[in-house]
């Protein structure tokens, strides 16, 4: 509203207003913003001697506004992380001179504001609100210690030893050292992010597991051979020296390299190639390992580009045959070479049709080659020689190149299986769908038949036991000559139940029933079915035989009918199309379900005993966290239908049985009383509809920016058991870094079977270090749920807090 200040009341014109707003702690900037506004001698025109400020200059000054005021509008933690890193990025770029960065340790990292911002980054990674109470850290003292070289890395770390083998240890940082590591990580990200190659997909903005798999799906159509490279090497002094020499090409800072060497010497920096899967939020991965591994293997990426130019030559002759568009620049060079002498033409023909594609996710490498087998073998030899001689790495698995054929080989990459298949015609898929329906109908009828025969068999067992007990009562007179004859072989003093079991054991030996799968099959096959009417048995057997013959029969006649109904060109179009099938490792998933106690040895769901003592909401979060990971990882895979069956038949039933074991009530009552809470776990095949309409409030929106949320996007589910409740005489806070909330309980971490490199993605933690097995940690309810739901990983927990208490 426009008004003239001269018309204000006199008292208001002469009064001074002091306006002071409260401090705001958001995104790392703490400011008391506000000014003293003096409304004395206000006139319509500017006072004499005061500089006039134009509207354009006023609007330009808005960019210098403190970032804390703009952070108030940020809604997600990732937005806050970006805003914080923008301020550090400006400080790093200010140190760029003559194609190098100078004095990053003294000016950028050893800065109280930078350390405070990185502390906020640690809290955001730990799923802690920035408005909550902070730890008592003096950032100015930390900055001074870093500048003077007085910061002791070993005093700010804790060593965890394995109980059974003291030689295996894990060195983890405390909160102070973690903040400094985060500052170093952000600085290195700013320096090296523009230099990373496009074949690198690990721990980068806009790149990750999905981008790597999509790249493979896109490039594998034009490839003839593929193979993976598995490394196994714990970084030694040779690898570290090579890493520092590479970093010196872009950074000139002796103090920074000395600090990284102190981390390496104290074993806090765990730079391991191979050995265990990366990117799963494991404590042994560390914060600096991803960026340093990408810097080190960046030399491999550059060498791959040189190999590609050398092997591909200056043209791709196979592109014309495959119907692909040829690059104009390569086509021009190729035309110029053809105009030259015969020797150049011979070199061109030798490399014509060759192409190299490489996809690297940290230390997992997949190589795709288009060309002959000799070219693939030569490329593989050159790659292995470079890794072993130039990068000082050991190659563990030297598999031969496999042909990229339809339904030939299944390749393991990034925890998934990749296979090339043909795309079927719509009519052929309809026939296969009909066969699947017939098979499902037969299996349903077989299940009903088995359940009824087993029910009759159990009644027969009860009748036989009752008949033997009645024969022992002489007053009833129900004994028969057969029972009297059998009683002669009964030992004196043997109880009736034991005697009945002995008779059943002898009978099973006579009919050779040990070859059957279980007791129910014995009852159905040897007792009930022979007693049924013959016409009933024959009718069911004939129905089952005809149906299975239809399902398993060769579809030659069906294909002939399809070819007659389809034109020849259309059938060729369908037969030439290839599909890259990505599948979840179902066998490993089922073994993990057995290992974590969700299913029993027979594959039936059961209650998880380690979760029974925990709160209802936390129990449901544990199972819904597994569902969330499967939806995020496998929703686009070929066998996602089988994963949905595991959700419904195993995970949900195990959850209800765990709650039922806690309250000692049947499952039907649990389903009724916890209907709204269990809506986070699907009950039908319509998973997408159920997840969209769920009222439980658990977020299923996935952010795949692995550069800002490294370790949490692919972190697996771990198992915690309640160790003890909070004792009044011993109060402790949550062990999560940056969290000052009280921990009501103490939990025990259980380490299951460790997967070797490269490992499968099953939804569970793949390779937790054995030194953390049965370690007790204190967690608040918020972070127990966050850990179960995959919002934080084990990297956010400070395991050495218990030693200080």
């Amino acid at each position: 509203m426009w008004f003239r200040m001269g018309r204000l009341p006199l008292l208001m014109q002469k009064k001074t207003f002091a306006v002071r707003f409260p401090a705001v702690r958001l995104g790392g900037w703490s400011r008391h913003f506000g000014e003293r506004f003096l409304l004395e001698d206000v006139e319509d025109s500017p006072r004499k001697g005061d500089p006039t400020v134009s509207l354009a200059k006023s609007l330009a000054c808005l960019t210098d506004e403190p970032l804390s005021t703009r952070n108030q509008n940020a809604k997600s933690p990732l937005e806050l992380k970006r805003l914080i890193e923008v301020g550090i990025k400006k400080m790093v770029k200010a140190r760029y001179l003559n194609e190098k960065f100078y004095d990053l340790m003294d000016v950028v990292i050893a800065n109280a504001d930078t350390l405070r911002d990185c502390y906020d980054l640690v809290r955001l990674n730990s799923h802690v609100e920035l408005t909550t109470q902070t730890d008592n850290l003096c950032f100015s003292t930390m900055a001074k210690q870093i500048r003077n070289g007085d910061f002791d890395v070993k005093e700010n770390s804790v060593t965890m030893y394995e109980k059974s083998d003291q030689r295996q240890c894990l060195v983890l940082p405390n909160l102070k050292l973690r903040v400094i590591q985060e500052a170093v990580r952000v600085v290195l990200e700013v320096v090296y992010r523009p230099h990373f190659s496009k074949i690198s997909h690990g721990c980068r903005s806009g790149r990750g597991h999905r981008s790597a798999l999509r790249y493979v799906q896109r490039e594998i159509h034009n490839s003839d051979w593929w193979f993976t490279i598995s490394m196994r090497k714990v970084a030694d002094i040779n690898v570290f020296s090579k890493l520092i020499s590479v970093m010196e090409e872009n950074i000139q800072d002796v103090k920074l390299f000395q600090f990284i060497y102190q981390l390496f010497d104290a074993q806090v920096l765990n730079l391991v190639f191979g050995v265990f899967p990366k990117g799963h939020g494991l404590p042994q991965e560390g914060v600096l390992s991803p960026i340093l591994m990408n810097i080190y293997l960046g030399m491999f990426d550059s060498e791959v580009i040189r190999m590609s130019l050398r092997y591909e030559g200056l043209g791709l002759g196979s592109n014309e045959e495959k119907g692909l568009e040829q690059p104009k620049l390569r086509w021009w060079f190729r035309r110029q070479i053809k105009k030259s002498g015969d020797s150049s033409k011979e070199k061109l023909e030798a490399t014509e049709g060759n192409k190299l594609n490489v996809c690297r996710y940290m230390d997992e490498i997949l190589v795709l080659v288009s060309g002959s087998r000799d070219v693939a073998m030569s490329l593989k030899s050159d790659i292995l020689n470079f890794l072993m001689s130039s990068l000082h790495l050991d190659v563990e698995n030297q598999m031969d190149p496999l042909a990229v054929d339809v339904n030939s080989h299944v390749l393991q990459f990034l925890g998934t299986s990749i296979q090339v298949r043909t795309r079927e015609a719509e009519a052929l898929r309809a026939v296969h769908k009909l066969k699947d329906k017939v098979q499902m109908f037969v299996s349903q009828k077989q299940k009903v038949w088995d359940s009824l025969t087993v029910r009759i068999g159990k009644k027969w067992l009860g009748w036989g036991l009752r008949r033997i007990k009645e024969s022992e009562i002489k007053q009833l007179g129900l004994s028969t000559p057969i029972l009297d004859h059998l009683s002669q072989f009964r030992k004196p003093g043997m109880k009736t139940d034991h005697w009945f079991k002995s008779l059943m054991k002898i009978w099973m030996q006579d009919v050779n029933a040990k070859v059957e799968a279980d007791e129910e099959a014995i009852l159905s096959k040897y007792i009930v079915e022979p007693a049924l009417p013959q016409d009933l048995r024959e009718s069911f057997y004939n129905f089952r035989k005809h149906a299975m013959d239809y399902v398993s029969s060769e579809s030659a006649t069906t294909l002939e009918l399809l070819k007659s109904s389809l034109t020849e060109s259309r059938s060729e179009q369908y037969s030439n199309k290839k599909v890259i099938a990505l599948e979840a490792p179902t066998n490993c998933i089922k073994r993990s379900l057995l290992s974590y106690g969700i299913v029993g040895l027979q594959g039936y769901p059961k209650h998880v005993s380690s979760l029974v003592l925990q709160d209802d909401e936390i129990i449901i979060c544990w199972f819904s966290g597994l569902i969330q990971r499967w939806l995020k990882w496998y929703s686009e895979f070929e066998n996602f239908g089988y994963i949905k069956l595991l959700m419904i038949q195993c995970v949900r039933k195990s959850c209800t049985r765990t709650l039922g074991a806690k309250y000692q009530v049947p499952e039907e009552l649990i389903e009724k009383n916890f209907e709204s809470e269990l809506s986070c776990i699907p009950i039908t095949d319509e998973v997408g509809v159920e997840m969209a309409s769920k009222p439980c409030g658990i977020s299923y929106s996935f952010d795949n920016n692995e550069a800002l949320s490294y370790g949490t996007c692919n972190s697996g589910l771990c198992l915690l058991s309640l160790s003890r409740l909070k004792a009044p005489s011993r109060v402790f806070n949550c062990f999560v870094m940056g969290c000052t909330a009280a921990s009501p309980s103490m939990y025990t971490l259980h380490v299951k079977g460790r997967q070797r490199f490269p490992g499968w993605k099953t939804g569970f933690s793949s390779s937790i270090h054995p030194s953390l097995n049965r370690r007790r940690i204190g967690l608040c309810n918020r972070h127990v749920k966050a850990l179960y739901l995959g919002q934080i990983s084990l990297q956010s927990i400070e395991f050495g807090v218990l030693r200080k208490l």
Side-chain angles (χ1 to χ4, degrees):
M1 183 176 66
W2 296 91
F3 59 88
R4 294 176 59 87
M5 296 295 298
R7 296 182 180 180
L8 290 176
L10 182 62
L11 292 176
M12 199 173 218
Q13 294 180 15
K14 297 293 183 180
K15 191 169 182 179
T16 300
F17 291 91
V19 182
R20 186 172 179 83
F21 295 89
V24 176
R25 284 284 302 132
L26 191 60
W29 287 268
S30 179
R31 301 284 190 272
H32 288 280
F33 54 96
E35 299 289 338
R36 296 177 60 89
F37 298 96
L38 183 63
L39 301 181
E40 184 176 355
D41 300 330
V42 179
E43 299 178 358
D44 296 341
S45 59
R47 298 192 317 183
K48 186 177 181 180
D50 292 345
T52 59
V53 180
S54 63
L55 178 61
K57 187 174 182 180
S58 300
L59 293 176
C61 292
L62 291 178
T63 58
D64 296 331
E65 182 184 5
L67 196 55
S68 58
T69 60
R70 288 181 285 149
N71 284 354
Q72 293 177 351
N73 299 325
K75 296 181 180 180
S76 66
L78 292 179
E79 292 176 355
L80 295 177
K81 292 179 184 179
R82 291 189 183 99
L83 290 174
I84 294 174
E85 291 189 359
V86 164
I88 303 176
K89 184 177 180 180
K90 293 180 180 179
M91 299 176 64
V92 174
K93 289 190 173 182
R95 307 305 304 168
Y96 184 74
L97 181 65
N98 296 329
E99 299 183 355
K100 280 191 177 183
F101 293 87
Y102 295 86
D103 300 330
L104 296 177
M105 195 69 178
D106 287 340
V107 180
V108 182
I109 298 175
N111 186 292
D113 293 335
T114 303
L115 296 177
R116 185 180 296 107
D117 297 340
C118 293
Y119 170 70
D120 288 338
L121 286 176
V122 172
R123 299 180 73 197
L124 290 172
N125 292 330
S126 300
H127 199 64
V128 178
E129 297 290 341
L130 297 183
T131 56
T132 58
Q133 183 180 358
T134 61
D135 295 278
N136 297 324
L137 295 180
C138 184
F139 299 107
S140 59
T141 304
M142 291 173 57
K144 184 178 179 181
Q145 290 177 351
I146 296 172
R147 282 193 299 267
N148 299 333
D150 298 333
F151 188 85
D152 195 342
V153 174
K154 294 184 179 180
E155 289 185 358
N156 291 275
S157 59
V158 59
T159 304
M160 316 293 292
Y161 290 97
E162 186 181 358
K163 296 180 179 179
S164 59
D165 187 3
Q166 295 294 324
R167 294 174 297 178
Q168 293 191 19
C169 64
L170 180 63
V171 184
L172 299 176
N174 63 0
L175 181 57
K176 288 184 179 181
L177 185 55
R178 176 64 181 275
V179 171
I180 301 175
Q181 284 183 329
E182 188 70 21
V184 176
R185 183 197 66 82
V186 175
V187 169
L188 294 180
E189 284 282 350
V190 175
V191 173
Y192 285 97
R193 189 179 298 168
H195 300 280
F196 288 147
S197 173
K198 67 176 184 178
I199 69 175
S200 174
H201 293 263
C203 190
R204 297 182 58 189
S205 296
R207 292 176 178 266
H209 276 74
R210 291 196 176 187
S211 65
L213 294 176
R214 286 168 183 163
Y215 177 80
V216 173
Q217 284 183 301
R218 184 175 66 251
E219 298 295 337
I220 204 172
H221 292 280
N222 310 320
S223 303
D224 301 319
W225 307 92
W226 58 1
F227 59 91
T228 58
I229 298 176
S230 299
M231 295 171 285
R232 186 178 182 86
K233 178 73 173 182
V234 179
D236 52 10
I237 191 62
N238 295 327
V239 175
F240 182 79
S241 301
K242 184 78 172 179
L243 174 64
I244 296 300
S245 64
V246 172
M247 296 176 65
E248 287 177 347
E249 298 177 0
N250 297 301
I251 301 175
Q252 186 170 341
D253 192 342
V254 178
K255 289 186 177 180
L256 177 60
F257 298 146
Q258 288 179 351
F259 180 76
I260 297 177
Y261 179 77
Q262 291 177 7
L263 296 176
F264 176 77
D265 185 59
Q267 298 182 3
V268 182
L269 180 58
N270 300 306
L271 191 59
V272 181
F273 299 88
V275 182
F276 59 88
K278 306 300 187 303
H280 295 187
L282 303 173
Q284 62 265 31
E285 291 185 59
V287 180
L288 293 177
S289 298
I291 179 65
L292 294 179
M293 186 173 292
N294 281 333
I295 294 172
Y296 191 76
L297 292 179
M299 295 182 288
F300 168 77
D301 300 339
S302 302
E303 183 64 21
V304 165
I305 296 175
R306 287 190 288 268
M307 289 181 184
S308 177
L309 294 176
R310 185 168 65 253
Y311 276 88
E312 293 181 18
L314 297 174
L316 292 175
S318 61
N319 284 352
E320 298 177 357
E321 300 176 359
K322 296 181 180 180
L324 301 177
E325 183 180 358
Q326 206 171 59
K328 294 182 179 180
L329 182 60
R330 291 181 182 272
W331 178 82
W332 183 85
F333 274 109
R334 187 177 171 214
R335 188 177 59 180
Q336 297 298 322
I337 288 181
K338 286 185 177 180
K339 293 180 181 179
S340 60
D342 297 336
S343 59
S344 300
K345 291 182 180 180
E346 293 177 359
K347 293 180 181 179
L348 180 63
E349 292 176 357
T351 60
E352 191 173 2
N354 300 331
K355 189 176 180 181
L356 173 63
N357 290 302
V358 177
C359 181
R360 182 180 66 82
Y361 184 90
M362 297 186 69
D363 52 358
E364 290 193 51
I365 301 175
L366 175 63
V367 181
L368 305 172
V369 182
S370 178
S372 62
R373 179 179 176 83
D374 295 336
V375 172
M377 294 295 294
S378 178
L379 272 168
K380 179 190 171 185
S381 177
D382 291 347
I383 291 174
L384 296 182
N385 290 335
F386 179 79
L387 291 175
M388 291 186 290
S389 60
S390 299
L391 299 185
H392 311 290
L393 299 177
D394 298 333
V395 180
E396 183 182 25
N397 183 17
Q398 300 184 12
M399 60 177 296
D400 293 332
L402 303 175
V404 184
D405 296 331
V406 176
N407 299 327
S408 58
H409 301 284
V410 177
L411 202 67
Q412 178 185 355
F413 184 62
L414 293 182
T416 61
S417 60
I418 307 175
Q419 189 178 19
V420 181
R421 298 176 181 175
T422 55
R423 181 177 297 176
E424 297 176 343
E426 294 182 0
L428 190 59
R429 287 202 302 267
V431 174
H432 291 169
K433 188 175 181 180
L434 177 61
K435 287 188 176 182
D436 293 339
K437 288 185 177 180
V438 172
Q439 188 175 7
M440 183 179 296
F441 179 75
V442 173
S443 62
Q444 290 176 353
K445 296 302 180 182
Q446 183 68 43
K447 187 176 180 180
V448 173
W449 175 272
D450 294 338
S451 62
L452 292 177
T453 52
V454 168
R455 184 179 179 183
I456 296 173
K458 290 181 179 180
K459 289 185 177 180
W460 175 84
L461 284 178
W463 177 84
L465 180 60
R466 187 185 64 181
R467 190 74 178 83
I468 292 178
K469 289 183 177 181
E470 289 176 351
S471 64
E472 295 177 352
I473 304 176
K474 297 181 180 180
Q475 292 80 358
L476 297 177
L478 298 177
S479 179
T480 60
I482 298 178
L483 293 177
D484 294 338
H485 178 71
L486 291 176
S487 60
Q488 298 178 2
F489 303 96
R490 184 175 181 178
K491 296 180 180 180
M494 181 181 292
K495 294 185 179 180
T496 306
D497 296 343
H498 190 193
W499 170 240
F500 183 71
K501 291 180 180 179
S502 301
L503 294 177
M504 292 298 301
K505 185 176 180 180
I506 296 173
W507 173 78
M508 290 175 62
Q509 292 177 354
D510 291 340
V511 298
N512 195 18
K514 289 185 178 181
V515 297
E516 301 299 332
D518 50 14
E519 295 83 357
E520 295 181 351
I522 296 174
L523 293 176
S524 177
K525 182 177 180 180
Y526 295 98
I527 295 177
V528 180
E529 290 186 3
L532 294 176
Q534 184 177 359
D535 55 347
L536 178 62
R537 285 186 284 114
E538 290 180 354
S539 61
F540 179 74
Y541 293 158
N542 291 332
F543 159 74
R544 185 175 60 183
K545 181 178 181 301
H546 291 313
M548 296 309 297
D549 289 343
Y550 172 77
V551 171
S552 61
S553 63
E554 296 292 335
S555 56
T557 306
T558 305
L559 291 177
E560 291 295 333
L561 293 175
L562 289 174
K563 288 182 180 179
S564 62
S565 61
L566 298 174
T567 60
E568 183 178 357
S569 60
R570 188 175 181 182
S571 64
E572 291 179 358
Q573 179 183 2
Y574 280 110
S575 61
N576 291 333
K577 287 189 176 181
K578 295 181 181 180
V579 178
I580 310 303
L582 301 178
E583 293 187 350
T586 54
N587 293 330
C588 295
I589 290 176
K590 289 188 290 186
R591 287 197 296 267
S592 299
L593 294 177
L594 176 63
S595 176
Y596 280 80
I598 296 180
V599 297
L601 294 175
Q602 301 296 333
Y604 298 106
K606 66 174 187 177
H607 73 277
V608 182
S609 58
S610 301
L611 301 174
V612 171
L613 298 179
Q614 301 184 27
D615 296 339
D616 301 340
E617 186 179 4
I618 294 178
I619 293 175
I620 297 175
C621 282
W622 192 84
F623 289 96
S624 60
L626 181 60
I627 297 296
Q628 179 174 349
R629 289 169 173 86
W630 285 354
L631 289 175
K632 179 171 61 175
W633 297 345
Y634 307 134
S635 58
E636 301 177 359
F637 283 18
E638 293 290 331
N639 58 346
F640 183 61
Y642 185 78
I643 300 298
K644 290 191 291 185
L645 290 179
L646 292 180
M647 295 180 189
I648 301 167
Q649 298 181 359
C650 296
V651 179
R652 185 179 178 91
K653 288 185 178 181
S654 178
C655 182
T656 56
R657 292 178 181 179
T658 302
L659 294 173
K662 178 180 180 179
Y663 292 104
Q664 298 296 318
V665 294
E667 299 178 36
E668 294 78 9
L669 190 59
I670 293 295
E671 290 280 358
K672 182 178 179 180
N673 294 339
F674 292 88
E675 182 178 1
S676 60
E677 291 84 354
L678 291 175
S679 60
C680 303
I681 306 176
I683 195 173
T684 62
D685 291 340
E686 301 296 332
V687 177
V689 178
E690 292 188 27
M691 295 297 103
S693 59
K694 61 180 179 57
C696 60
I698 295 179
S699 175
Y700 282 85
S701 60
F702 314 119
D703 198 315
N704 295 315
N705 194 328
E706 296 189 10
L708 297 176
S709 57
Y710 176 79
T712 58
C713 295
N714 301 286
S715 63
L717 181 65
C718 61
L719 182 61
L720 302 177
S721 63
L722 188 64
S723 177
R724 66 175 178 85
L725 297 176
K726 179 180 177 181
S729 59
R730 194 177 187 185
V731 180
F732 48 86
N733 292 334
C734 181
F735 286 15
V736 173
M737 294 184 178
C739 181
T740 58
S743 176
S745 305
M746 185 76 73
Y747 296 89
T748 301
L749 176 63
H750 297 275
V751 175
K752 300 297 181 179
R754 301 180 63 189
Q755 292 190 20
R756 293 191 61 190
F757 182 82
W760 296 99
K761 291 181 66 176
T762 61
F764 298 93
S765 295
S766 58
S767 183
I768 305 177
H769 199 272
S771 62
L772 302 179
N773 187 27
R774 304 196 66 82
R775 293 285 180 179
R776 292 189 300 169
I777 54 177
L779 297 175
C780 59
N781 292 334
R782 172 186 174 88
H783 283 106
V784 173
K785 293 187 289 185
L787 185 62
Y788 285 167
L789 294 175
Q791 297 170 351
I792 64 173
S793 64
L794 292 175
Q795 288 183 346
S796 301
I797 299 176
E798 190 174 358
F799 288 92
V801 175
L802 192 61
R803 299 184 179 182
K804 303 176 184 178
L805 300 177

